[in-house]
Amino acid sequence: MLKVIAEDFIKPEFVEVVTPLYRELVDRTREEQRCISYDLFIDQKDAGHFVFIEEWPDHQALETHCQTEHFRRLVPLIDEYRRAEGSYILMEPFPAAGSQVG
Amino acid sequence: MLKVIAEDFIKPEFVEVVTPLYRELVDRTREEQRCISYDLFIDQKDAGHFVFIEEWPDHQALETHCQTEHFRRLVPLIDEYRRAEGSYILMEPFPAAGSQVG
């Protein structure tokens, strides 16, 4: 399982412009066959700080997502309004008690 | 609903020391009556970068969590091994289509 946090920083005056773009991105991504979850949140202290929390079965599913029509069309449109470079973290679950570590 | 991302940065040589502390923190927090979810992940590129993804019904539930015996005992123990200040983001869900914005 692959967990992803992806953060976008949008100029505050363009939040209303990107909102429908994000909505379409979320809706279409959730329709992807190998998407487990794809949720978007907004920082309570910064209305232009958008945070995706995603779950994919593996890296291949994430790579497929990044090649979809909706991703390739919508992400560059959103990026036109960013105020800083986005960032992302790829993560694995903390091992449960009793599982092999290392 | 309140979504939280909390990040810890642990010195790599102490990851094995903090692992049982994190495990107890996760297990006990999940037993809290008002905890919706409390999941811990590890950055695939940095074994000392621990990331909590949490969900609480409201701020009060998060404040209660921070006052529990397990939080007040375990977090300072974990913090002894950190290499940098932790960070956190409090977030709300991106509004679904048709909901009021602004």
Side-chain angles (χ1 to χ4, degrees):
Chain A
M1 190 271 267
L2 176 65
K3 199 84 178 181
V4 179
I5 292 173
E7 298 182 59
D8 283 353
F9 301 90
I10 302 295
K11 292 173 185 165
E13 65 271 31
F14 291 108
V15 165
E16 287 190 33
V17 176
V18 298
T19 292
L21 302 173
Y22 277 126
R23 184 163 293 131
E24 184 180 355
L25 183 60
V26 169
D27 289 347
R28 290 189 183 264
T29 300
R30 286 175 175 169
E31 291 170 359
E32 289 178 41
Q33 196 175 359
R34 301 195 72 222
C35 174
I36 297 171
S37 67
Y38 193 80
D39 298 315
L40 181 57
F41 299 90
I42 301 170
D43 187 338
Q44 290 188 334
K45 291 187 175 171
D46 177 356
H49 182 193
F50 290 83
V51 182
F52 289 95
I53 299 178
E54 314 175 15
E55 191 169 324
W56 303 93
D58 50 38
H59 281 83
Q60 181 59 53
L62 177 60
E63 282 171 35
T64 299
H65 163 61
C66 295
Q67 295 302 322
T68 57
E69 182 278 335
H70 50 272
F71 185 97
R72 294 176 63 144
R73 172 171 49 86
L74 294 164
V75 172
L77 288 175
I78 291 166
D79 283 352
E80 288 179 25
Y81 303 103
R82 70 183 179 190
R83 64 175 199 259
E85 194 79 24
S87 67
Y88 65 92
I89 315 169
L90 305 187
M91 303 173 295
E92 55 200 46
F94 179 71
S99 59
Q100 288 289 106
V101 178
Chain B
M1 190 272 268
L2 176 64
K3 198 85 179 179
V4 179
I5 292 174
E7 297 181 60
D8 284 353
F9 301 90
I10 301 297
K11 293 173 186 164
E13 65 270 31
F14 290 108
V15 165
E16 286 190 34
V17 176
V18 298
T19 293
L21 302 173
Y22 277 125
R23 185 163 292 134
E24 184 179 355
L25 183 60
V26 169
D27 290 347
R28 290 188 183 265
T29 300
R30 286 175 173 169
E31 293 170 357
E32 290 179 41
Q33 197 177 356
R34 302 195 72 223
C35 173
I36 297 171
S37 67
Y38 192 80
D39 297 314
L40 181 56
F41 299 90
I42 301 171
D43 187 337
Q44 290 188 335
K45 290 187 176 173
D46 177 355
H49 183 194
F50 291 84
V51 182
F52 289 95
I53 300 178
E54 313 174 16
E55 191 168 325
W56 303 93
D58 51 39
H59 281 82
Q60 181 58 52
L62 177 60
E63 282 172 34
T64 299
H65 163 62
C66 295
Q67 296 302 322
T68 56
E69 183 277 336
H70 49 272
F71 186 96
R72 295 177 62 144
R73 173 171 49 86
L74 293 164
V75 172
L77 288 175
I78 292 167
D79 283 353
E80 288 179 26
Y81 303 102
R82 69 183 179 190
R83 63 175 198 256
E85 194 78 24
S87 66
Y88 65 91
I89 315 169
L90 306 186
M91 303 173 294
E92 54 201 47
F94 179 71
S99 60
Q100 287 291 105
V101 178

